[in-house]
Amino acid sequence: MRSANLPWAHVRNGKKHLLSSFQEFGLADPIARALAEENYVTPTPIQAQTIPLALAGRDVVGIAQTGTGKTASFALPILNRMLESRIKPLPKTCRVLVLSPTRELSGQILDSFNAYGRHMRLSTALAIGGVPMGRQVRSVMPGVEVLVATPGRLLDMVQGNAIKLSQVEFLVLDEADRMLDMGFIHDIRKIVAKLPIKRQTLFFSATMPKDIADLAEQMLRDPARVAVTPVSSTAERIEQRIIQVDHAAKPALLAEILKKETINRALVFTRTKHGADKVVKGLARAGIEANAIHGNKSQNHRERVLAAFRSGEVRTLVATDIAARGIDVDGVSHVVNFDLPNVPETYVHRIGRTARAGAEGVAISLCAGEEIAYLRDIEKLIRISLPREDRRTPGHRDTAPKPTQHRGGRSTSHVHAARTGEHGAGAANPGKANRRRRRPASGSVALPGARHESGRHEAPRPQSAGSNGGKDGGLQGVAFLQRDNRAPHSNRNPRPQR
Ligand code: AMP
């Protein structure tokens, strides 16, 4: 039996106490009513573990991905504790600070706080990069209870005296591993240095490599540790297939797949923004409607495209990794990797977009000769040898580069990646863009290539070469939740743009 289906809380009187409903948390009435309206009945495993601890005032470090219900696992106890001592925030301050890596995720977190706090007259604000600062500065001027922020923009606002962090009582770090990948470590440290020592901190990360564990160690006080099911349970529900194909034949093959498979919603991943646009054009020529979502698109465009994808009006969305990250769309039946990612963990994040809420999903990866090294890294990480179908033209096979041996015997797929020029600008000059090298469990080295896309995120501050990401526990996957059969609060409450 998968523990994902077993809602359980912490150990009480030496016994594992089963929590089968939200009522058992004893949440305040306004919150309980909001949950009933959201049709939340059973706590998810991460909620069952985290909520009682957080309600008791403990710091918590949680290993959980988006899709596990982790937002409610921190938002609900925080709102409940705030209700216990409701005070009007001082001007230019906040009581709750949530740090998240991207503006999409920040918007979704804010939506969740607004949804769960809808009967509390909650004051909330966003501080996210990539949009003008003026409105955000004005929105925090009277003081807010909850501020959701990306680190760079928050720091700019702190430095511009638009917000003071001296009154923060609750700090949440969401997707800590992603924030470190994006180079936000220095910003985070600067922000944390400005916070009161006496606070409650809830720290979430999809993975817990040593550098993240160290960061948590420094920031948390005697934290309780919670985790949800390892990645294998996600992978088990996803039918994963590799199709080896010549690079030039990928567009036609993608069109064939989208026509042949029974698609509810398909998320197609490309490594670059330009690649995403090209794929959409190619599909249009094949008579398939698709939209692209990436950092060069306006916020309006992104919202329109997402709405069309959510409603099922356009069933194919072509996305870069960063654009897709944090976007909460359920009912994705197929993930197609038009390009294989050069960071193996990214593959796991990508395929995790399907097979939510115990549903089945299909992940198809188109692998050209030059991507074989990436495939090997992925297989090492997930410890599965993926079934391969060979659609390469005989005699016209792309040559698979032999991964160069580094000192210590690690493969250097990233070196090739930079050479092929398939990444964004960042990977073409990995030394400049991001010096952090990942060391997955497999022992291979890969660079998080086009991790940030100009114009979409705050420019991450440069990161020291020393912050290495040796994985210690592998990826943690989840039983993903689905929003389809509920009225999604993000649709009802359009994301506030402050
Ligand atoms: P998250 O991992 O926080 O992004 O949540 C994923 C999705 O699950 C969101 O659509 C939430 O609204 C939904 N969700 C979270 N907790 C529950 C729950 N206990 N019951 C039903 N849906 C939930």
Side-chain angles (χ1 to χ4, degrees), residues 22 40 42-44 47 66-71 328 481 483 486 489:
F22 276 99
Y40 288 12
T42 311
T44 68
Q47 291 163 359
T66 295
T68 54
K70 74 174 154 51
T71 315
D328 188 17
L481 287 158
R483 258 189 181 158
R486 295 180 299 278
H489 58 68

Side-chain angles (χ1 to χ4, degrees), residues 119-140:
H119 299 301
M120 293 173 50
R121 301 173 69 83
L122 192 69
S123 57
T124 59
L126 268 184
I128 52 173
V131 288
M133 207 190 291
R135 284 171 74 185
Q136 297 175 6
V137 169
R138 283 193 295 280
S139 70
V140 296

Side-chain angles (χ1 to χ4, degrees), residues 75-111:
L76 298 177
I78 287 178
L79 290 175
N80 205 74
R81 294 201 70 208
M82 272 207 322
L83 273 177
E84 285 166 7
S85 60
R86 200 83 189 270
I87 44 167
K88 190 173 161 14
L90 297 170
K92 294 190 183 177
T93 69
C94 61
R95 291 188 71 188
V96 182
L97 174 64
V98 183
L99 293 177
S100 107
T102 67
R103 61 193 201 198
E104 273 81 13
L105 185 61
S106 302
Q108 283 165 15
I109 295 169
L110 195 82
D111 282 350

Side-chain angles (χ1 to χ4, degrees), residues 307-329:
F309 191 55
R310 276 204 183 98
S311 70
E313 187 190 323
V314 177
R315 284 166 184 264
T316 305
L317 186 61
V318 185
T320 54
D321 290 302
I322 288 189
R325 182 73 188 173
I327 290 172
D328 188 17
V329 178

